[in-house]
Amino acid sequence: MKVAIIGAGIAGLATAYFLAKEGVKVKVFEQKFLLHGASGRNSGGLTAQFKDEELIKLALRSEELYEKLQSEIGFNFLLRRSGYLKLAKTKEELEEVEFQRRFGLKLKLLHAEEVGEIFPDINTNAFKFASYYPRGGVVFPWAVIWGLAKGCKDLGVEIHDFKKAEVVVENGKVKGVSAGEFHEAEVVVNSAGAWSKEINEKLGIKDERVIVKEEICVTESIRPYLDPYILHVSNGLFLSQSMRGEIVGGIVGKSNGGVGSSFDFLVRYAKLATNLVPKLKGLSILRQWAGVYDEGINGKPVMGFSKVQGLYQLNGFGRNGMSIALACAEKATKEILNAQLR
Amino acid sequence: MVQVKDGRLMEHPILNFRRGKEVTIYFNGKQIKAYEGETVASALYAAGIRVFSRSFRWHRPRGFFCAIGKCSACMMEVDGVPNVRTCKVYVRDGMQIRTQTGFPSAERDIFAISDKIIDRIFPHGSQYTKFNNKLIRDFVLSQLRKMTGFGNPPKKEFQGNASYEEIHCDVLVIGGGPAGMSAAINAGKYGAKVLLLDENPFLGGQLVKQTHRFFGSAKHKAGTRGIKIAKILEEELRKIPNVDVRLETKAFGIYGREVGAVEKDKLLRIIPKKIVVATGAYERTLIFENNDLPGVYGAGGVQTLMNVYGIKPGNRGLIVGSGNVGLILSYQLLQAGVEVSAIVEAMPRIGGYFVHAAKVRRLGVPIYVRHTILRALGKDRVEGAVIAQLDEKWKPIPGTEKKLDCDFICVAVGLSPTHELLYQAGCKMKFVPELGGLVPLRSKYNETSVKGVYIAGDVAGVEEATAAIMSGRIAAIHAIVELGMGGEEAKKELEEALKDIEEFRAGPFGERIVCGIEKCILASEVEL
């Protein structure tokens, strides 16, 4: 079987890797360079603190896959399980904790003062409650992509970068993709993230999902002292400290907008971040950037074959791609292989 | 013989160093004498300190390099504030300065062993490709995390008085060197409301270290020393009341029609009608073994150290590159009583003006053309260098290696435009070797592909100060004419200014620039 995958992000590359392991001939097409999309622009937070059963299961499976893939491929993703801290102003905002515990998530519901004991620099007036997931953490997204790309290449997957691929359809059935030249394939995977909507619309598939822009910045490097990944659910602020010592943070995206960075973001982020961790005041911001992702339907990823025969949808991960995409790719692989058998 | 005391030049044939009050600063707890008006980095240098920091991964020694806040090799903790570029901060009595990287200090760092031993076993990138067992991986990661990071986290909350200001203006000029000052003067004289930003505490850009006389016609300030030109321009500028000058102000981004900048502890949101970017250029370095050793400096860094702060850079220098900067620097070193071991040039002929070359040759400095530097020698500082002859394919010829005695090396291999702001603003860019690197496409009036964003000076293509002054004039006048200011008079001056620069570039030395500019004229300007 031949499979063409559009988009060399975490979902596309992981699917390519899993398929290639089963002996499938895979080609991956990336419109720009590896890391150009959301997989190269996110802040690397990993958690399973979701409000939906399916998402929790996918996240837990991804946790296992991260360990497995690092050893199997022989590549270190710089993954640190130092906890994921969800902060909130009201208890209602963390209501899902009981639900999440049912799936075996060892969560701690903490009061602000208790968080202050773990991390003395946090301003305990900026929130009231916290849900702490010790198995959560931070991964270096670039290393994940580099590692998956290495794994793919070791298995003979062709990765074509700077090739914008278009799906070729004949009589309602996928024939392959055209990317400068024609590449034949029985199955085409649409894992193009924010650009997957555009691909669908071109094929006449109705796609009303929202494309969200999110902005991030990093400060100068200081010795690591901020271990968990922090997300303030009431105001959208998130931050963590990278392996290089830079504070990586941003605000959860809302708008439907371009890819440019903005001045307003810097001002808003600086206010929120220094309110939460006052000692960050005075640190310089080194870089800022923006990225786009496609929001799924009801917060869930879009997976499965679509009405164009042979076109598999693997997108709509929203903000949760790093947490769930590996398990989604594994599931997609199974479904693609099963469909072939039938 | 030039007198030297405590590493400082006491007299100089051209310059007159006025040092402020004597103060005491503390470096890793050790008392050091300094003078007000000196930067921390230059005072430490004068006291003989050469290792300023250690590299991030392999703990290699890093010293002074650019002296103008671009290279980050001199970052230290100053009075509890981490990651301070010590080449940009002036000394204060009682200042506490600590090196950040290395244990117990950057000078004596036990982790320096990682450069020698661990490098063999775990070469670059092995944090990704080794440690595939989960337990080992997790252990290594937790240990790596303890060793990473530059500065200490702030011990107490920042006490500065942060504030915010919104400024509307007709023309925003970013950079207060010759191009920026000229742009501000020419926009200001036609009544435009101008805001001029510069990240340094002084105006003049790199003119402040240029002690040589300029060439060209009298109209373009020929025969005047660079340092004097900076003063003339500043005087002219300060006379115009509608020009607002903000020093120690960094512009960090052009976001559509607004520009973000930081003035000390104040955040500025600037809403200009036109922007002139005159951010200049930075020094290039060269790839050779040990090129990061303290004692390998940018030529401009040495000029700053010597001509601005009056500090002797060393006893015997080797100059790499025989362009005007390399030649002039050699002469300036000799003036300051520093020996010049040799000038090394990879091209088959000298790059700079013949008059400059003749001057240094008369003083007995050997110039090796078709030669390159192979490596710098020394452990924690430069103790010599090895050079070799090149063949037609630019490969070193075996057997021609020569060891030269020197205690510092100046890399004078040219400049690259400081293009980052323009790239970020979304200007269409092109790599043009004749202009020094990545430059924006532009109209003949120096407007980039982003309407209302202009360029002037070295950022448009590395040239020199006279041309920078002229290009600032063109950009500024075109900007105000577009705003409907200046009337017929301005339009006439604009055409004159264009003719001026054309004449200036008509000589043989302008040929390369003209050829480079032809490559990056906006397509809309090219007549088909």
Side-chain angles (χ1 to χ4, degrees):
Chain A
M1 178 173 53
K2 285 180 185 164
V3 176
I5 295 179
I6 305 178
I10 180 171
L13 287 176
T15 310
Y17 177 79
F18 291 133
L19 282 169
K21 258 176 72 178
E22 301 298 326
V24 177
K25 252 186 95 62
V26 189
K27 289 180 183 176
V28 183
F29 298 90
E30 168 59 47
Q31 61 163 341
K32 293 274 171 65
F33 46 89
L34 261 60
L35 307 174
H36 171 260
S39 293
R41 293 172 188 245
N42 68 84
S43 58
L46 297 181
T47 184
Q49 290 152 289
F50 297 116
K51 289 175 190 164
D52 176 86
E53 182 181 346
E54 190 194 344
L55 288 180
I56 295 172
K57 284 183 175 159
L58 287 167
L60 290 174
R61 178 61 188 150
S62 289
E63 279 179 19
E64 293 167 14
L65 284 172
Y66 267 117
E67 297 305 338
K68 191 169 162 255
L69 286 176
Q70 288 185 88
S71 303
E72 214 173 87
I73 295 171
F75 205 87
N76 195 337
F77 296 166
L78 302 191
L79 191 158
R80 281 189 299 121
R81 299 216 175 275
S82 15
Y84 195 106
L85 204 51
K86 263 189 176 180
L87 311 177
K89 285 214 165 115
T90 62
K91 217 167 185 167
E92 288 72 51
E93 286 169 293
L94 299 172
E95 222 175 14
E96 73 269 15
V97 168
E98 276 316 309
F99 173 75
Q100 288 159 349
R101 277 181 176 152
R102 263 187 263 153
F103 299 95
L105 260 61
K106 289 191 178 60
L107 290 170
K108 283 184 204 151
L109 192 61
L110 303 171
H111 286 275
E113 294 72 32
E114 291 171 290
V115 178
E117 277 164 30
I118 308 169
F119 183 45
D121 280 355
I122 209 158
N123 171 14
T124 50
N125 296 321
F127 62 100
K128 283 231 163 61
F129 301 97
S131 153
Y132 181 60
Y133 178 51
R135 292 278 303 151
V138 193
V139 71
F140 181 34
W142 291 17
V144 176
I145 300 301
W146 291 335
L148 288 173
K150 174 184 179 284
C152 284
K153 280 177 188 157
D154 289 348
L155 294 173
V157 173
E158 289 177 24
I159 300 174
H160 299 266
D161 55 0
F162 292 98
K163 286 268 150 63
K164 198 175 166 89
E166 274 184 39
V167 186
V168 179
V169 180
E170 247 180 57
N171 307 328
K173 199 177 164 201
V174 157
K175 281 277 161 214
V177 298
S178 111
E181 53 193 34
F182 177 70
H183 299 265
E184 195 192 336
E186 286 106 83
V187 175
V188 174
V189 179
N190 180 5
S191 57
W195 293 269
S196 59
K197 181 177 161 139
E198 189 185 304
I199 291 173
N200 284 339
E201 282 170 349
K202 242 183 204 163
L203 295 171
I205 299 168
K206 212 167 130 197
D207 194 334
E208 283 165 352
R209 291 174 306 143
V210 182
I211 306 299
V212 181
K213 172 176 118 173
E214 191 160 306
E215 292 190 61
I216 301 188
C217 64
V218 292
T219 68
E220 59 191 299
S221 164
I222 51 174
R223 287 218 164 81
Y225 79 123
L226 178 75
D227 280 334
Y229 186 100
I230 301 175
L231 170 69
H232 196 312
V233 292
S234 314
N235 58 28
L237 169 79
F238 59 86
L239 48 90
S240 67
Q241 194 170 9
S242 76
M243 280 302 285
R244 281 209 291 202
E246 296 163 338
I247 308 282
V248 183
I251 303 171
V252 172
K254 264 185 196 152
S255 62
N256 189 350
V259 286
S261 302
S262 72
F263 184 91
D264 287 311
F265 160 73
L266 279 185
V267 176
R268 274 205 309 143
Y269 172 75
K271 274 187 188 155
L272 291 176
T274 55
N275 181 39
L276 185 65
V277 187
K279 278 189 195 164
L280 296 183
K281 278 181 199 167
L283 279 189
S284 311
I285 288 171
L286 292 191
R287 301 183 294 279
Q288 69 173 129
W289 66 89
V292 281
Y293 54 77
D294 52 331
E295 203 61 89
I297 293 158
N298 304 324
K300 285 207 260 185
V302 182
M303 289 174 68
F305 282 100
S306 45
K307 70 174 190 191
V308 175
Q309 207 188 331
L311 180 70
Y312 191 90
Q313 300 291 344
L314 182 61
N315 44 54
F317 299 107
R319 300 193 74 253
N320 310 323
M322 296 314 285
S323 298
I324 61 169
L326 290 184
C328 296
E330 191 188 41
K331 201 175 155 198
T333 304
K334 273 181 203 147
E335 289 183 10
I336 291 167
L337 291 172
N338 284 342
Q340 197 60 27
L341 289 176
R342 248 183 271 131
Chain B
M1 193 60 208
V2 178
Q3 247 198 334
V4 177
K5 201 173 154 231
D6 302 325
R8 291 167 177 85
L9 305 166
M10 300 317 281
E11 54 189 55
H12 191 281
I14 295 163
L15 298 163
N16 191 3
F17 302 113
R18 272 166 303 199
R19 296 195 170 86
K21 208 173 84 208
E22 190 182 312
V23 294
T24 306
I25 58 172
Y26 298 86
F27 176 68
N28 287 337
K30 198 171 71 188
Q31 258 190 29
I32 284 172
K33 199 168 77 177
Y35 296 92
E36 275 179 359
E38 286 179 345
T39 59
V40 172
S42 57
L44 294 178
Y45 195 93
I49 291 152
R50 293 292 178 268
V51 181
F52 283 15
S53 66
R54 291 274 165 175
S55 73
F56 196 74
R57 285 211 171 95
W58 306 129
H59 290 256
R60 288 173 63 82
R62 289 282 155 86
F64 189 86
F65 181 80
C66 76
I68 50 170
K70 310 259 183 200
C71 76
S72 308
C74 66
M75 287 207 298
M76 294 183 205
E77 184 178 306
V78 176
D79 287 337
V81 181
N83 301 338
V84 175
R85 283 167 189 80
T86 52
C87 68
K88 303 278 277 181
V89 179
Y90 292 114
V91 293
R92 271 192 315 273
D93 199 32
M95 207 174 217
Q96 289 284 349
I97 300 135
R98 295 196 167 275
T99 52
Q100 306 187 122
T101 37
F103 179 82
S105 73
E107 283 186 292
R108 283 181 201 78
D109 178 14
I110 58 165
F111 294 119
I113 196 153
S114 57
D115 184 33
K116 301 196 167 56
I117 299 169
I118 303 177
D119 192 18
R120 302 248 161 88
I121 313 166
F122 301 119
H124 183 80
S126 48
Q127 71 269 35
Y128 298 118
T129 51
K130 296 211 174 186
F131 325 118
N132 295 329
N133 174 289
K134 180 175 164 23
L135 289 174
I136 298 172
R137 188 167 61 225
D138 288 351
F139 173 74
V140 168
L141 227 58
S142 65
Q143 297 308 307
L144 269 181
R145 193 159 166 85
K146 282 182 196 155
M147 288 176 63
T148 182
F150 274 115
N152 284 315
K155 282 171 199 74
K156 53 182 198 303
E157 210 176 300
F158 176 72
Q159 293 305 318
N161 246 333
S163 56
Y164 171 79
E165 189 183 347
E166 204 172 284
I167 308 172
H168 291 259
C169 62
D170 294 322
V171 180
L172 167 69
V173 183
I174 302 169
M181 282 201 280
S182 159
I185 291 168
N186 284 293
K189 74 180 182 198
Y190 285 109
K193 189 176 174 235
V194 179
L195 177 65
L196 174 66
L197 311 180
D198 195 282
E199 58 173 343
N200 291 297
F202 51 83
L203 284 172
Q206 305 312 317
L207 279 176
V208 298
K209 59 196 181 193
Q210 296 180 8
T211 54
H212 64 285
R213 294 176 200 276
F214 277 63
F215 295 117
S217 65
K219 190 165 137 200
H220 305 126
K221 304 191 174 60
T224 313
R225 297 184 196 279
I227 32 176
K228 190 75 198 295
I229 295 175
K231 291 221 174 70
I232 296 170
L233 286 171
E234 183 170 354
E235 269 168 33
E236 208 175 320
L237 182 70
R238 298 279 187 189
K239 275 190 216 140
I240 309 171
N242 44 325
V243 177
D244 181 3
V245 178
R246 306 283 179 113
L247 297 175
E248 290 179 68
T249 306
K250 293 183 252 290
F252 58 77
I254 299 175
Y255 306 91
R257 292 255 59 95
E258 38 179 47
V259 177
V262 176
E263 181 187 10
K264 289 164 206 144
D265 293 336
K266 193 198 276 175
L267 178 68
L268 305 181
R269 185 198 292 260
I270 305 160
I271 299 120
K273 291 185 184 133
K274 301 279 173 191
I275 302 168
V276 179
V277 177
T279 45
Y282 51 77
E283 295 199 79
R284 265 192 238 152
T285 188
L286 198 65
I287 295 173
F288 57 89
E289 194 179 322
N290 269 343
N291 70 353
D292 61 339
L293 207 60
V296 179
Y297 307 132
V302 172
Q303 285 188 319
T304 305
L305 195 65
M306 186 168 64
N307 298 345
V308 180
Y309 301 110
I311 286 159
K312 197 178 170 187
N315 295 319
R316 201 172 152 83
L318 169 70
I319 317 290
V320 183
S322 73
N324 278 330
V325 174
L327 295 173
I328 291 168
L329 174 62
S330 306
Y331 186 69
Q332 290 173 343
L333 284 167
L334 295 166
Q335 272 182 332
V338 180
E339 285 177 46
V340 176
S341 165
I343 300 173
V344 179
E345 169 64 56
M347 298 289 285
R349 68 193 97 73
I350 291 162
Y353 293 156
F354 176 74
V355 264
H356 292 316
K359 222 170 182 178
V360 291
R361 283 298 289 274
R362 270 202 301 279
L363 292 161
V365 176
I367 302 179
Y368 294 97
V369 291
R370 266 269 172 243
H371 272 69
T372 192
I373 179 166
L374 289 186
R375 71 185 75 93
L377 304 170
K379 195 170 150 273
D380 280 342
R381 58 180 68 187
V382 169
E383 285 158 6
V386 177
I387 65 165
Q389 205 183 324
L390 294 167
D391 63 17
E392 303 78 55
K393 286 176 184 149
W394 306 91
K395 291 266 179 325
I397 302 170
T400 61
E401 292 90 354
K402 207 176 285 138
K403 200 184 151 222
L404 294 181
D405 186 32
C406 59
D407 64 354
F408 68 101
I409 297 166
C410 303
V411 182
V413 292
L415 304 166
S416 283
T418 312
H419 64 267
E420 288 83 356
L421 260 183
L422 296 160
Y423 211 148
Q424 183 265 340
C427 299
K428 282 201 187 97
M429 309 291 287
K430 190 173 177 186
F431 189 85
V432 182
E434 290 89 342
L435 299 180
L438 208 53
V439 289
L441 302 184
R442 79 291 304 268
S443 73
K444 66 176 174 180
Y445 299 111
N446 283 2
E447 190 171 13
T448 66
S449 60
V450 176
K451 210 169 159 37
V453 176
Y454 290 80
I455 44 172
D458 276 359
V459 74
V462 174
E463 214 170 339
E464 46 76 82
T466 315
I469 295 170
M470 294 173 166
S471 71
R473 183 173 166 219
I474 294 168
I477 299 177
H478 189 261
I480 61 113
V481 166
E482 288 276 291
L483 291 174
M485 296 166 125
E488 284 310 309
E489 197 191 332
K491 277 182 198 152
K492 217 177 114 209
E493 193 187 341
L494 183 57
E495 294 313 313
E496 252 169 52
L498 271 182
K499 210 179 282 166
D500 255 10
I501 204 161
E502 214 170 280
E503 275 168 24
F504 178 78
R505 286 173 178 154
F509 282 99
E511 208 176 308
R512 198 174 147 81
I513 298 292
V514 172
C515 174
I517 290 172
E518 273 168 14
K519 289 186 183 172
C520 53
I521 288 289
L522 275 167
S524 56
E525 293 271 317
V526 181
E527 286 163 42
L528 296 167

